[in-house]
Amino acid sequence: MNMPTWPVQDAKARFSELLDTCMAQGPQMVTKRGAEAAVLVPVAQWRHMQTLARPSLKALLMSDQGRGEMVLPERGVDPYRPAVARE
């Protein structure tokens, strides 16, 4: 995606123009010493990106991926997991 680029000095000096351009044309890249530093994005696009990046509860529950390792201490070692009496 080739978006308009603003050097940080111009972005600071003409922030209102940068904001208006962002709202009218979409994301705007801000560079610092020639390197990409930040992107100004319209709030509607930001919210949309946030919802796409966060899986729903249903998607998490239906996923076949592990949800992490449960490490349980051995019985009798943890005071909350007493040893089991064997007969």
Side-chain angles (χ1 to χ4, degrees):
M1 176 181 205
N2 194 11
M3 65 182 86
T5 303
W6 297 68
V8 71
Q9 299 86 352
D10 291 346
K12 286 169 45 176
R14 301 169 31 207
F15 185 76
S16 184
E17 182 183 344
L18 171 62
L19 183 59
D20 290 341
T21 304
C22 173
M23 291 170 39
Q25 298 176 13
Q28 304 290 305
M29 176 70 66
V30 178
T31 60
K32 188 172 187 176
R33 296 187 194 109
E36 295 177 343
V39 177
L40 185 63
V41 180
V43 71
Q45 185 174 352
W46 173 256
R47 287 189 176 128
H48 179 70
M49 290 171 20
Q50 289 295 306
T51 59
L52 292 178
R54 188 176 327 142
S56 68
L57 177 60
K58 180 180 178 181
L60 287 173
L61 294 174
M62 298 297 291
S63 172
D64 60 351
Q65 294 179 335
R67 291 172 187 75
E69 292 293 322
M70 280 187 71
V71 179
L72 297 175
E74 292 182 34
R75 290 202 173 272
V77 176
D78 187 336
Y80 296 106
R81 287 193 80 202
V84 177
R86 298 186 190 247
E87 295 180 19

